[in-house]
Structure formats: C-alpha cells, structure tokens
C-alpha cells in the first residue's frame, strides 16, 4: 500500500481521523465520540460494524483502537508518511502550519489560556500520535493562523491598549482552515488565482463565522478573542451588549453561569427553546412552532448584517461563498439571508438555490445579481493533509 497522510482532529469529547494518499485523495475516515464517558463509541465511515472502545476511553485509547481497526481493514499502511493535527489556537505566534517539535508544543501549551477547552485536547492527540508513531513527522495547522493578516484596525478592541500588550486581548478569528479552503476553491471555480480573488466566506455549521478575504488574505472576521463573538450559532449567542454581563450579575448569576449560558444554552437553541439543529428547526417552523421560525429569522438577519459589515474591508467582491452544514444544505437560510441584501445587489435564483448541486460550480445567483453567490462544501481535512505533505517535503 502507498504511504498515507493521517489527519487528526481532537474535539473535547471526540476524535476524528482522516487518511489521505500522497495525491491527497481520501482513503478512509473514522470517528470516536463521547470520549471519557461510559458509552464512548467509535466507527469507521462506510463500515457497518462499530469499533469496540473501552468504557470511559480517552483520546489516546481511541487513537490506538482506531489505528488498529484501520490496519485490520487494510486501509492504512504500517505507518503514515506524516501526521497533521488541527489545533484551534495558535495565538500570534503561528501565522501558518508548522512542523511539531518541543518548542511548538510548548507554545501551543502557552496558548491554552486563550482556548482552555480546545488546545489541551489537541495536545493530548499530538502526545498520543507521538507515542504511537515516534519517528513520523507531525505538523500542526491552526484555526487562528489564517487571520493573522488582519490589520490592527480589524483585530484591536476599543479597550485600554495595555490589555492587548499585557494580556494578548485582541480578535484572533477562527475557522481559518475552512476560510482558507474557501478562498482557494472559490478562486479555482471562478477561473482566477487566489492572490487576485476577493470573497466573503460564510462558514455556517454548529459554530458560525464570516470572513472578508481580500486578494487571498483574511482582512476581517466575525469571531474574536474567543469563538463566541459574531454570528448567531447553534448554542452560542454571538454578539451581545457587554453591558449584559453586569446586568446578569446583578440578577444573581455567577461568571461561570453566564459563560455556560452564552456558550451552550443560547443561539438557535436558546431562542427556539427546542434545538440547536437547523434542520429540526426548519421542520418545527413548518409545523407552526413560532419560536423556531423566530430563531431562523434572527440567525439570517444577523448573518445578512455581517455580510454588509464585511464589505467595508473590500475594494471589490468576486463572490459571496457559503459553506458548513447549514450553508451547504439549507436553501431556506440562504434565501432568507439574501433577501435582506437586495440593496447591495445580491440576488439569488430560487431554482438554482434549491438545486445548487445540479448547476455548475455551485453558483446560485440570479442573472441580475451584482455578485456571484457560491455554495461550496468545505474540506478542512484536505487543507491539513496538503500542509502536512508540503511541510514534510520541504523539511
Ligand atoms: P459542525 O460545526 O459540528 O461541523 P456542521 O457543519 O455539520 O457542524 O453543521 C451542522 C448544522 O448543519 C446543523 O445545524 C444541521 O442541522 C445543519 N444541516 C445539515 N443538513 C441540513 C439540511 N439539509 N438542512 C438544514 N440544515 C442542515
């Protein structure tokens, strides 16, 4: 079997693996979920049998089990050529993906204060793969890195400057691996080069963010110091008045409770009182559930406002690009959002919006639209695999 590239994506309770060949074609993928819980489980995509995991399996056990399962099924060569890890926060140090060494690990650890839920699990994944494959080069790709091209006017909050200098308080932005993929893929589909292509890229999944990309570089983005800022998300509030914190505290809420509500009980879930899942919300709304219909309205209106805001960073626009589970699949969200943007010249074609897959290059704009509108499935794993192959070839 040819040598492969292994991509590892550790979430707080999940581990996702993807295996690519040297030409960046995907060979296999696998996932372990509910890690550190009694009912932890794993499976290989496309395989009917679940992979047995011990109760309370951690990231390391899940990795070992899934790697053996991939080998048993002849999907993985004895060891991959290289391994790529997704790491959420690279602070200001990492402007691009890097080969992992002990200094890199220390810096990822230093950034953990800015991403306490995410960086420690990424480090657990790196540690586990280093134990399993001690001689294989590993790289880290960061969700923040792509946004390191933001200018101070876009990344600084209007706070006393010492907060930035002493405590690194600034806007970092996230989903950078996905927005980078969009910048390149949109350029390819438009027949241009990334360095001459300017887009607005909306990643709409459980987490949602939107980025202005000027000539291939991120120049503004909706997420900030943490992935809580910006758009309405599945369970996250996005933007709120900072005065809310003091007000909720005056009503007796603790800092932890406020944090929990804004991150895990707000957004689509909070407004609808039912679910964070857009597909379910659409069904509920169709059955007359008004809070669900309102959640969709607020989601789309906030998104439309942010599309307008992103225009301030661009001198021309080649396309608005939508991705993520909602962006790729919800014609209703696309239609509702773009209905607010007619004044700016965005016009969606109703038929193409319903059947975007049937039309070339995922384009859904009406012939009268001032700008192309594209629906493009994101592929973050592919970006990481390519970065891993590139860095290892150059090393
Ligand atoms: P994550 O950020 O966890 O990777 P995804 O990108 O998979 O999430 O997006 C999940 C969201 O996409 C959910 O809200 C889900 O309901 C929504 N979604 C997926 N398919 C559809 C669909 N056909 N119609 C509407 N929403 C959809």
């Amino acid at each position: 079997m040819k040598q492969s590239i292994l991509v590892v994506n550790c979430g707080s309770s999940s581990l996702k693996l993807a295996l690519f060949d040297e030409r960046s074609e995907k060979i296999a993928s696998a996932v372990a979920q509910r890690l550190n819980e009694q009912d932890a489980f794993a499976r290989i995509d496309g395989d009917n049998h679940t992979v047995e995991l011990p109760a309370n399996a951690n990231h390391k056990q899940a990795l070992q089990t899934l790697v053996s399962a991939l080998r048993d099924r002849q999907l993985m060569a004895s060891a991959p050529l290289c391994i790529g890890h997704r790491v959420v926060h690279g602070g200001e140090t990492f402007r691009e993906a890097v080969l992992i060494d002990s200094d890199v690990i220390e810096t990822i650890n230093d950034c953990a204060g800015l991403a306490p839920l995410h960086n420690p699990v990424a480090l657990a994944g790196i540690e586990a793969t280093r134990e399993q494959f001690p001689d294989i080069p590993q790289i880290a790709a960061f969700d923040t890195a792509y946004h390191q091209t933001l200018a101070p006017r876009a990344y600084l909050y209007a706070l006393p400057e010492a907060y930035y200098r002493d405590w690194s308080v600034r806007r970092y932005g996230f989903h950078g691996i996905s927005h980078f993929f969009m910048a390149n893929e949109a350029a390819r589909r438009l027949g241009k080069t990334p360095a001459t292509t300017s887009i607005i890229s909306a990643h709409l999944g459980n987490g949602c963010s939107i980025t202005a990309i000027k000539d291939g570089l991120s120049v503004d983005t909706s997420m900030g110091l943490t992935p809580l800022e910006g758009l309405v998300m599945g369970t996250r509030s996005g933007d709120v008045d900072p005065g809310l914190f003091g007000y909720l505290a005056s009503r007796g809420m603790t800092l932890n409770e406020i944090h929990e509500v804004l991150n895990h009980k707000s957004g689509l879930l909070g407004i609808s009182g039912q679910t964070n899942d857009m597909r379910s919300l659409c069904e509920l709304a169709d059955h007359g559930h008004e809070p669900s219909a309102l959640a969709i309205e607020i989601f789309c209106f906030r998104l439309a406002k942010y599309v307008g805001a992103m225009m301030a960073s661009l001198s021309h626009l080649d396309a608005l690009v939508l991705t993520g589970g909602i962006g790729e699949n919800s014609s209703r969200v696309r239609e509702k959002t773009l209905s607010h943007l007619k004044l700016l010249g965005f016009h969606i074609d109703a038929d193409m919006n319903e059947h975007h897959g049937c039309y070339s290059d995922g384009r859904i704009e009406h012939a009268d639209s001032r700008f192309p509108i594209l629906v493009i499935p994101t592929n973050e794993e592919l970006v990481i695999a390519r970065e891993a192959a590139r860095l290892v070839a150059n090393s």
Side-chain angles (χ1 to χ4, degrees):
M1 167 160 310
K2 280 200 194 136
Q3 280 195 301
S4 54
I5 301 162
L6 178 64
V7 175
V8 181
N9 183 357
C10 286
S12 49
S13 63
S14 68
L15 172 88
K16 292 183 189 157
L17 299 182
L19 208 54
F20 291 81
D21 69 16
E22 284 160 316
R23 288 171 299 127
S24 301
E25 296 289 336
K26 196 162 177 178
I27 304 167
S29 55
V31 62
Q33 277 170 331
R34 306 188 74 83
L35 295 177
N36 303 307
E37 289 182 41
Q38 194 67 29
D39 51 352
F41 71 96
R43 65 180 160 72
I44 293 178
D45 292 336
D47 193 306
N48 290 331
H49 306 286
T50 51
V51 178
E52 287 276 319
L53 275 186
N56 301 307
N58 58 23
H59 286 82
K60 184 170 155 185
Q61 289 167 309
L63 179 88
Q64 286 167 344
T65 309
L66 282 174
V67 165
S68 329
L70 287 166
R71 282 183 175 155
D72 290 347
R73 288 161 177 77
Q74 316 287 319
L75 291 167
M76 190 173 184
S78 52
L81 173 70
C82 52
I83 300 169
H85 293 270
R86 178 188 192 164
V87 180
V88 166
H89 219 305
E92 290 189 324
T93 311
F94 298 111
R95 301 179 71 86
E96 57 183 3
V98 286
L99 277 168
I100 295 174
D101 59 18
S102 48
D103 287 347
V104 167
I105 290 184
E106 205 177 308
T107 312
I108 294 173
N109 208 11
D110 290 345
C111 296
L114 292 164
L117 298 179
H118 295 103
N119 276 23
V121 288
L123 284 169
I126 292 169
E127 189 60 36
T129 44
R130 281 182 126 198
E131 262 177 48
Q132 182 134 9
F133 303 108
D135 303 322
I136 304 301
Q138 309 209 24
I139 70 114
F142 300 90
D143 272 313
T144 48
Y146 184 55
H147 301 299
Q148 280 297 303
T149 45
L150 261 59
R153 67 164 183 250
Y155 73 67
L156 283 178
Y157 291 110
L159 292 170
E161 52 93 31
Y163 288 35
Y164 170 58
R165 199 182 55 228
D166 299 341
W167 292 339
S168 307
V169 173
R170 55 159 285 176
R171 309 182 64 255
Y172 290 94
F174 298 87
H175 286 147
I177 299 168
S178 176
H179 291 301
F180 172 78
F181 178 83
M182 287 302 132
N184 286 278
E185 184 58 18
R188 192 187 69 75
R189 293 184 185 206
L190 294 167
K192 299 183 62 145
T193 59
T196 59
T197 304
S198 295
I199 64 166
I200 294 173
S201 163
H203 178 112
L204 310 173
N206 276 312
C208 300
S209 71
I210 185 164
T211 294
I213 296 171
K214 186 176 189 180
D215 297 332
L217 304 178
S218 172
V219 287
D220 194 11
T221 192
S222 59
M223 284 177 167
L225 175 71
T226 74
L228 184 55
E229 189 177 339
L231 302 175
V232 175
M233 310 182 212
T235 62
R236 285 174 247 169
S237 61
D239 294 341
V240 290
D241 181 344
L244 178 71
F245 292 78
Y247 180 71
L248 293 181
S250 79
R251 308 294 292 198
M253 287 180 75
T254 65
L255 190 56
N256 277 348
E257 285 167 348
I258 296 170
H259 184 268
E260 174 68 15
V261 164
L262 294 182
N263 278 286
H264 302 297
K265 296 184 179 160
S266 298
L268 296 173
L269 172 66
I271 304 164
S272 69
Q274 295 289 319
T275 175
N276 63 320
D277 187 277
M278 182 58 82
R279 199 170 3 190
S280 308
L281 279 177
C282 291
E283 281 162 20
L284 284 163
D286 286 342
H287 287 91
H289 189 255
E290 286 184 13
S292 295
L294 184 60
I296 300 168
E297 284 289 337
I298 295 173
F299 180 95
C300 295
F301 182 58
R302 176 86 58 88
L303 175 58
K305 287 209 294 187
Y306 258 97
V307 172
M310 290 294 134
M311 301 279 271
S313 293
L314 302 175
S315 45
H316 80 278
L317 181 68
D318 291 303
L320 170 66
V321 183
L322 300 133
T323 192
I326 298 173
E328 290 166 34
N329 296 300
S330 180
S331 53
R332 181 180 194 147
V333 165
R334 296 193 297 254
E335 192 277 320
K336 263 192 184 304
T337 303
L338 286 151
S339 71
H340 295 296
L341 291 167
K342 292 195 171 131
L343 189 60
L344 286 179
F346 291 96
H347 286 274
I348 205 163
D349 183 288
D351 188 42
M352 289 164 92
N353 184 37
E354 282 304 324
H355 307 104
H356 70 87
C358 308
Y359 293 86
S360 68
D361 297 333
R363 288 177 75 148
I364 58 166
E365 78 275 10
H366 189 269
D368 291 343
S369 184
R370 194 171 154 210
F371 307 106
I373 306 165
L374 276 76
V375 178
I376 299 180
T378 192
N379 197 340
E380 291 155 296
E381 294 160 344
L382 178 64
V383 173
I384 300 170
R386 283 183 177 154
E387 287 293 87
R390 180 181 67 80
L391 285 168
V392 169
N394 291 346
S395 68

